[in-house]
Amino acid sequence: MAKLTVRDLNTHGKRVFLRVDYNVPLEEKDGAMVITDDTRIKATLPTLRLLIAQGAKLILAAHLGRPKGQREATMSLRPIAARLAELLGCKVNFVDDCIGEKVEKLAGELPPGGVLLLENVRYYNEEEANDPVFAEKLAKVADIYVNDAFGAAHRAHASTEGVARIVAKRGGKCAAGLLMELELKFLGDELDQPARPFVVILGGAKVSDKIKVIDRLLDKADTILIGGAMAYTFKLAQGFQIGQSLVEKDKTDVALAALEKAKRRGVQFLLPTDNICVTPVKTDKLNKKGRPILDLTNPRTNAEANIPASEEGVDIGPATAAKFREVILGAKTILWNGPMGIFEDKRFAVGTNAVAQAVVDATQQNGAKSIIGGGDSVKALNKAGMGDRVTFMSTGGGASLEFLEGIALPGVAALSEK
Ligand code: AMP
């Protein structure tokens, strides 16, 4: 059923409690915290502008980092108020708490179209515990609840779920913001009835993270392309040697079940036929977990089905990239989640970039709808300067995956139906 959105509301003169995702990266510079990427702030501007134009009194709530219930100064939302004021071109008030008399007073004094940003909701442990008393305190300034924080919607926290339930109980409306609406449209409706062929590209580290998504998409997709370390679990399950490659040995049965389901349902399921291999060599340096950092030496293309015992697969090879491109160019709907290799290292980003280019070409030249399911694929597209050339890039990471698994996200479930 469709969710109510901000476009269905009349918020004039009403206090709108708006949950946003302002969990932006910050860096300390000359004693002050500076925002290094404001993409998430910019993504909320359409909703903010609409509500300001309606004459709502806007009370913005968000979390930043993991302060674990402490007033951690480096995780204050204060710098975000300043940046938001610049972007909106209007005053943004800031209050150094998210509940209490001070908040209620300032919210009460807001004129129609006024904006108040609350301090980090995670300064209270009650936020993540979805404590009902805390949620009541937050809800004191809420006539209407709007959620535009898709990236936090998979968590049933006080500001993402509890407040909505309280507002609804009082007879108030709970609506999706414009960004949330887009996420639900592209990750939901568009993939429910995809134009065919529907091609799904999955990569990244682990099969276990994505097996539920694979299982669900096997009911819908025409073709599934698998890259990344995930492919090695499938390869191992098929009896190939995978050398030192990252693998989940205990997930081969899961991989085999997916391969069988693909066969049963007539879904084309393509694994890499070649790869880029390196020889990992231990260094003296240790990583955060105390394990030796490996130098990935002697990269080479391996066109054999097996990977030698001393080597590790770190990217898809050129023949696989070419085959994946051909399939992607034939698609009418594309969903992509997860890199094809260790793309953080330029040497092993070639396969991921080739897939990114193919997705962009299918979109721009063939009119395919391309949906990027969040996380590292979004990073890879942005890094390659191609972020604006696909149909939609999800702002969620964990939330996108859970939504694609078909799980009802608590932050979405709490919103009113149209
Ligand atoms: P995920 O969060 O599951 O999408 O995984 C993303 C991570 O998978 C990235 O940090 C990649 O470096 C990593 N990755 C992709 N392919 C490989 C590979 N062949 N070996 C090791 N790590 C990989």
Side-chain angles (χ1 to χ4, degrees):
M1 227 182 298
K3 293 292 179 184
L4 200 72
T5 86
V6 273
R7 285 179 295 115
D8 304 315
L9 300 175
N10 177 4
T11 60
H12 188 84
K14 302 260 174 59
R15 293 170 309 167
V16 174
F17 186 99
L18 174 59
R19 179 57 160 96
V20 282
D21 182 2
Y22 287 166
N23 192 22
V24 296
L26 293 163
E27 237 172 54
E28 199 184 322
K29 217 174 177 185
D30 303 328
M33 297 306 290
V34 178
I35 300 162
T36 53
D37 181 352
D38 62 3
T39 310
R40 285 187 167 151
I41 306 176
K42 284 185 176 146
T44 65
L45 294 178
T47 301
L48 291 173
R49 290 200 175 110
L50 179 78
L51 287 167
I52 290 169
Q54 284 183 2
K57 299 174 177 179
L58 276 178
I59 297 124
L60 273 51
H63 78 272
L64 181 58
R66 294 198 172 107
K68 301 203 172 120
Q70 302 298 313
R71 291 189 76 86
E72 180 59 60
T74 56
M75 296 177 197
S76 169
L77 284 163
R78 191 182 285 277
I80 287 143
R83 182 76 190 111
L84 184 59
E86 275 170 28
L87 291 167
L88 278 174
C90 73
K91 185 173 175 196
V92 173
N93 301 283
F94 178 75
V95 52
D96 63 2
D97 211 334
C98 61
I99 52 169
E101 278 174 23
K102 212 175 354 175
V103 171
E104 288 159 40
K105 183 170 176 291
L106 286 170
E109 287 169 3
L110 281 177
V115 184
L116 172 66
L117 175 63
L118 307 180
E119 184 53 286
N120 195 343
V121 284
R122 287 198 189 166
Y123 277 4
Y124 291 88
N125 277 328
E126 291 90 334
E127 160 66 4
E128 290 185 71
N130 200 0
D131 178 271
V133 177
F134 179 71
E136 280 288 354
K137 288 180 187 168
L138 287 173
K140 277 207 164 162
V141 293
D143 300 317
I144 293 171
Y145 176 85
V146 175
N147 193 344
D148 217 13
F150 179 77
H154 58 316
R155 309 272 184 235
H157 293 169
S159 66
T160 59
E161 205 258 1
V163 179
R165 297 278 177 211
I166 292 163
V167 170
K169 220 176 187 173
R170 286 189 208 139
K173 300 253 163 69
C174 300
L178 296 176
L179 179 62
M180 174 74 88
E181 188 188 11
L182 278 182
E183 296 275 3
L184 301 181
K185 170 174 146 66
F186 282 107
L187 295 182
D189 303 345
E190 295 281 351
L191 298 183
D192 272 344
Q193 307 282 334
R196 296 191 178 277
F198 175 25
V199 174
V200 175
I201 313 150
L202 292 172
K206 292 181 180 171
V207 170
S208 53
D209 285 346
K210 292 178 190 168
I211 190 61
K212 289 195 197 123
V213 176
I214 296 176
D215 191 57
R216 184 147 186 269
L217 290 169
L218 276 168
D219 292 332
K220 298 188 176 168
D222 297 294
T223 303
I224 297 189
L225 308 175
I226 301 279
M230 207 191 337
Y232 301 116
T233 303
F234 283 96
K235 287 283 192 184
L236 187 67
Q238 289 176 324
F240 294 108
Q241 286 158 28
I242 50 128
Q244 306 285 312
S245 307
L246 186 63
V247 71
E248 289 173 286
K249 288 194 177 132
D250 58 340
K251 291 289 176 297
T252 48
D253 52 339
V254 170
L256 280 181
L259 288 167
E260 266 160 36
K261 183 168 175 180
K263 208 187 248 171
R264 229 174 28 245
R265 299 196 61 90
V267 177
Q268 190 183 21
F269 200 97
L270 298 183
L271 291 163
T273 53
D274 63 346
N275 38 59
I276 305 299
C277 284
V278 295
T279 307
V281 179
K282 273 187 196 162
T283 64
D284 301 337
K285 287 177 240 150
L286 299 179
N287 67 15
K288 278 185 207 153
K289 288 181 185 159
R291 297 202 192 107
I293 291 176
L294 301 175
D295 255 348
L296 304 179
T297 68
N298 298 327
R300 68 172 187 103
T301 300
N302 174 40
E304 305 296 320
N306 293 308
I307 297 176
S310 60
E311 294 185 40
E312 173 185 348
V314 289
D315 195 4
I316 56 172
T320 304
K323 177 66 188 168
F324 283 11
R325 179 177 171 83
E326 182 193 313
V327 173
I328 292 165
L329 287 181
K332 279 280 169 276
T333 308
I334 301 161
L335 172 68
W336 178 24
N337 180 296
M340 298 290 104
I342 307 179
F343 77 108
E344 296 92 340
D345 185 325
K346 225 172 46 217
R347 296 174 297 165
F348 315 128
V350 178
T352 301
N353 288 339
V355 163
Q357 188 65 58
V359 172
V360 164
D361 291 345
T363 313
Q364 300 293 327
Q365 294 164 18
N366 307 345
K369 231 170 236 169
S370 52
I371 298 161
I372 316 302
D376 278 339
S377 334
V378 169
K379 257 188 229 159
L381 267 167
N382 282 334
K383 216 167 156 186
M386 295 192 270
D388 56 349
R389 303 184 65 210
V390 293
T391 311
F392 181 71
M393 292 202 298
S394 175
T395 55
S400 316
L401 276 184
E402 286 194 23
F403 193 72
L404 290 170
E405 284 173 17
I407 294 174
L409 307 186
V412 177
L415 303 177
S416 320
E417 303 296 337
K418 270 207 197 222

